[in-house]
């Protein structure tokens, strides 16, 4: 999967449709920006089907490759991530079938792909040790989110993955805004509790290395 750290255009600064048009016009760097923007969501989504982390990464890379090859067929009739989500789900299910494993009978909706992005804490360096730590953090986050009660998991997903406002989440979950805030706070607290030992270990390692 492409790793992009372009200083020219941050992933959130250019609309997906414009990036898609650039890719369709032969600008492969624009696709790298889309990969950078959505790779964590896609990994989290595929992780719901494929539970081995290294295998999950391979399937995610395959999904992005399929998306790149199919980019010419994207007409903008849906959101880019909705289109990418379908490709990722199909790639994961095909992978399971090819390895004589039965895919889930129920598809995972785009809103269920859970990822709480802690990778930004580790993007200052790219040594093998830091990469291993980043992967371990992501695995821990995925496990922590999966273990949350459904109402907490849904709330943190709508906020952190889908980017909905508290008002939108309250409407979607049919509950008061105060309840939404409480659920998101409790979800973050539970995730942080799982992450803290790893982050403390990482901080101590960096301190000793100085």
């Amino acid at each position: 999967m492409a790793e992009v750290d372009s200083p020219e255009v941050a992933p959130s600064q250019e609309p997906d449709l414009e990036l898609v048009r650039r890719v369709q016009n032969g600008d492969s760097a624009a696709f790298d920006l889309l990969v950078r923007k959505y790779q964590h969501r896609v990994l989290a989504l595929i992780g719901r089907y494929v539970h081995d982390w290294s295998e999950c990464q391979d399937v995610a890379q395959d999904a992005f490759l399929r998306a790149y090859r199919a980019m010419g067929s994207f007409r903008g009739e849906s959101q880019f991530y909705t289109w990418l989500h379908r490709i990722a789900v199909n790639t994961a299910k095909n992978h399971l079938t090819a390895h004589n494993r039965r895919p889930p009978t129920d598809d995972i909706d785009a809103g269920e792909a859970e990822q709480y992005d802690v990778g930004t804490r580790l993007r200052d360096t790219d040594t093998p040790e830091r990469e291993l730590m980043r992967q371990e953090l992501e695995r821990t986050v995925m496990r922590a989110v999966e273990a949350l009660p459904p109402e907490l998991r849904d709330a943190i997903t709508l906020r952190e993955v889908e980017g909905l406002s508290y008002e939108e989440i309250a409407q979607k979950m049919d509950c008061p805004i105060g309840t939404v805030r409480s659920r998101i706070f409790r979800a973050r607290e539970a995730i942080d509790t799982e992450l803290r030992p790893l982050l403390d270990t990482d901080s101590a390692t960096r301190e000793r290395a100085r």
Side-chain angles (χ1 to χ4, degrees):
M1 193 183 308
E3 291 288 340
V4 181
D5 292 303
S6 170
E8 298 176 1
V9 184
S12 61
Q13 291 179 331
E14 192 164 1
D16 289 351
L17 188 57
E18 175 59 28
L19 290 173
V20 169
R21 295 291 177 255
R22 286 172 52 190
V23 176
Q24 291 173 336
N25 289 328
D27 183 359
S28 60
F31 187 74
D32 289 340
L33 292 173
L34 288 168
V35 172
R36 180 183 174 190
K37 182 174 182 179
Y38 289 115
Q39 61 184 344
H40 296 297
R41 282 202 213 181
V42 169
L43 277 166
L45 171 62
I46 292 174
R48 299 288 297 277
Y49 292 90
V50 180
H51 301 301
D52 179 85
W53 183 245
S54 60
E55 192 177 355
C56 177
Q57 290 181 306
D58 289 340
V59 176
Q61 185 167 350
D62 188 27
F64 277 112
L65 181 59
R66 289 172 186 240
Y68 182 74
R69 290 172 175 168
M71 191 66 76
S73 67
F74 181 77
R75 303 299 179 207
E77 296 172 354
S78 63
Q79 295 292 322
F80 173 75
Y81 179 68
T82 301
W83 180 80
L84 179 63
H85 173 274
R86 287 197 297 267
I87 291 176
V89 167
N90 289 335
T91 303
K93 292 171 75 172
N94 290 341
H95 174 83
L96 292 175
T97 300
H99 288 78
N100 297 316
R101 283 178 273 171
R102 182 177 298 177
T105 54
D106 296 327
D107 284 344
I108 297 170
D109 293 334
E112 292 185 67
E114 290 136 354
Q115 181 63 37
Y116 185 85
D117 184 9
V118 296
T120 52
R121 304 187 191 191
L122 299 177
R123 288 175 188 159
D124 55 337
T125 59
D126 57 357
T127 64
E129 292 80 8
R130 302 294 288 169
E131 176 65 15
L132 287 173
M133 176 59 72
R134 184 187 65 79
Q135 292 179 10
E136 180 60 27
L137 283 171
E138 289 183 351
R139 284 194 293 268
T140 301
V141 167
M142 291 173 68
R143 288 194 299 267
V145 172
E146 186 67 26
L148 291 171
E151 67 275 9
L152 302 190
R153 185 169 64 242
D154 290 346
I156 195 68
T157 298
L158 291 171
R159 180 63 177 170
E160 300 294 347
V161 176
E162 298 304 314
L164 299 187
S165 67
Y166 288 107
E167 291 80 5
E168 291 169 328
I169 297 172
Q171 185 176 14
K172 196 173 185 69
M173 299 188 72
D174 192 25
C175 64
I177 291 179
T179 301
V180 170
R181 292 183 184 278
S182 174
R183 288 175 179 176
I184 291 174
F185 175 82
R186 288 160 57 198
R188 286 174 174 164
E189 190 173 45
I191 294 169
D192 285 345
T193 297
E194 296 298 319
L195 287 174
R196 196 168 296 118
L198 281 175
L199 294 174
D200 288 347
T201 299
D202 180 62
S203 296
T205 301
R206 295 179 68 182
E207 188 67 28
R208 286 196 299 269
R210 289 180 180 176

